[in-house]
Amino acid sequence: MLLCDIGNSCAKLFDGQTLRRLSLEELEAWKENRVYYLNVNKKAAQILQNFDSWIDLEPFIELDSAYEGLGADRKALCSFIEDGVIIDAGSAVTIDVMEKKRHKGGFIYPGFEALKKAYASISPTLDKEPVWPKESLPLSTKEAIGYGMLSPLVCAINKLGEKKDLFLTGGDAQVLASYLPQALYKPLLIFEAMEKIIRRKNVC
Amino acid sequence: MLLCDIGNSCAKLFDGQTLRRLSLEELEAWKENRVYYLNVNKKAAQILQNFDSWIDLEPFIELDSAYEGLGADRKALCSFIEDGVIIDAGSAVTIDVMEKKRHKGGFIYPGFEALKKAYASISPTLDKEPVWPKESLPLSTKEAIGYGMLSPLVCAINKLGEKKDLFLTGGDAQVLASYLPQALYKPLLIFEAMEKIIRRKNVC
């Protein structure tokens, strides 16, 4: 079974064993395959209009939520977790809270690449490779940027996640994982969620 | 007495009563005046080379710190506060910790304008005017962005500032002030610090 998660910056194609990161242009090569997908990318939506073998899983997701405009990927992840905080660290970092199968809400933090560019846009002095935080307070610009990128986010997650399970996924999750040792790191969580939707709803 | 604080995006000129926000080009009109200044802007440094009446206060700042590359404005603010957390919310937000007249370190968070652009750069879906956080979790993209911009920063400041006095200044400080009710909001803090340096060191 082929699963595809199309995000803001690239598509991730998973065949149950191998994970491929593809550009939108590279999707064409998989057009004739039966592929189950989730998509939050408007450009990709146009391309996919001609992909007759591809099946959008979004209409099959069941999630109890009052959130307006929740992306298909967040919806799928949340529908897979009954209780806990789900952190998906991609080009944006999304943080969602589930309680007793209900989505309570969530927030969006810029991804690390976007943050690095944000610092660089403020001043050439801040155009630096970040040094990730240590125990002590930063004592250089590189450390001050690394701390600024990561520590506020970690603080907000810990506050929301008190007495809750944390689930961590996405391309930049590994950096976060070392600052959230209590979190369960699940790099393939979105595909597990997609498989469950297909199984439950008998999509074919 | 004329004081000028030159930051990354503009210069703030203060005559003891009126605060003027000036572009670097507009500084020329004040060239012949005696102006005491602090500068963190490389472009401005070149312009100021020909401003013979202007006096750079940075060499007169006394601060006990192991931080490498601390900006002149942060140095001046920290030298003015013996104990506490100093938050300067400008085009970058700087957060510095002082303990018993010693600078313990600090971090840098992108300013709100830079953050808004960072969200917009990730996806057109995130190119939205933020709605600042309420008590409950965000239930829309605008709320999710506003929460993401502000709540992690507030969390990190509260964690650093436990049992400490908070001092809040800078152009974007008012937004932060409503989320940090315990903080002392001092819009002219940098000029108070500059006056004290001039008085102490007898600069003329």
Side-chain angles (χ1 to χ4, degrees), chain A residues 24 38 66 100 113 179 181-182 188-189 198:
Chain A
L24 296 190
L38 291 171
K100 295 178 187 165
E113 274 310 303
Y179 293 91
Q182 76 277 37
L188 300 174
L189 195 63
I198 294 165

Side-chain angles (χ1 to χ4, degrees), chain B residues 66-110:
Chain B
Y67 194 110
E68 280 176 41
L70 195 65
D73 48 357
R74 290 169 73 188
K75 262 191 215 166
L77 286 169
C78 287
S79 74
F80 190 61
I81 304 291
E82 294 190 0
D83 279 279
V85 178
I86 305 113
I87 304 128
D88 185 359
S91 47
V93 185
T94 56
I95 298 92
D96 284 287
V97 179
M98 288 294 294
E99 271 177 29
K100 296 179 187 166
K101 298 190 185 181
R102 181 164 168 74
H103 179 242
K104 304 295 284 183
F107 72 94
I108 307 171
Y109 193 75

Side-chain angles (χ1 to χ4, degrees), chain A residues 44-196:
Chain A
Q46 289 188 314
I47 296 170
L48 291 170
Q49 281 180 336
N50 306 318
F51 281 41
D52 297 331
S53 308
W54 285 46
I55 293 175
D56 185 359
L57 288 180
E58 186 169 5
F60 299 100
I61 305 170
E62 283 179 0
L63 181 69
D64 181 11
S65 174
Y67 194 110
E68 280 175 40
L70 194 66
D73 47 358
R74 289 169 74 188
K75 263 190 213 165
L77 286 169
C78 288
S79 74
F80 190 62
I81 304 291
E82 295 189 0
D83 279 279
V85 178
I86 304 113
I87 304 127
D88 185 359
S91 47
V93 185
T94 57
I95 298 93
D96 285 286
V97 179
M98 289 295 293
E99 271 176 31
K100 295 178 187 165
K101 297 190 184 181
R102 179 162 170 76
H103 178 242
K104 305 294 285 180
F107 72 94
I108 307 171
Y109 193 76
F112 298 146
E113 274 310 303
L115 274 179
K116 274 201 271 182
K117 285 181 192 155
Y119 282 100
S121 76
I122 298 167
S123 159
T125 316
L126 302 183
D127 187 3
K128 290 197 157 53
E129 206 51 40
V131 171
W132 299 124
K134 304 163 198 161
E135 291 271 316
S136 55
L137 275 172
L139 290 174
S140 71
T141 306
K142 286 180 181 188
E143 288 178 20
I145 291 172
Y147 189 106
M149 285 171 66
L150 212 56
S151 298
L153 176 61
V154 168
C155 186
I157 292 171
N158 279 327
K159 201 177 155 197
L160 277 185
E162 250 182 334
K163 299 178 191 167
K164 286 192 179 72
D165 291 329
L166 300 187
F167 301 88
L168 195 48
T169 192
D172 282 336
Q174 268 184 309
V175 179
L176 267 173
S178 51
Y179 293 91
L180 295 165
Q182 76 277 37
L184 206 60
Y185 174 43
K186 303 276 272 179
L188 300 174
L189 195 63
I190 189 70
F191 301 110
E192 292 180 54
M194 290 168 83
E195 275 172 9
K196 191 175 165 189

Side-chain angles (χ1 to χ4, degrees), chain B residues 84-85 97 155-166 182:
Chain B
V85 178
V97 179
C155 187
I157 291 172
N158 278 326
K159 200 177 156 197
L160 276 186
E162 252 182 333
K163 300 178 190 166
K164 287 195 179 70
D165 291 329
L166 301 187
Q182 77 277 37

Side-chain angles (χ1 to χ4, degrees), chain B residues 170-187:
Chain B
D172 282 336
Q174 269 185 308
V175 180
L176 266 174
S178 52
Y179 293 92
L180 295 165
Q182 77 277 37
L184 206 60
Y185 174 43
K186 304 275 271 178

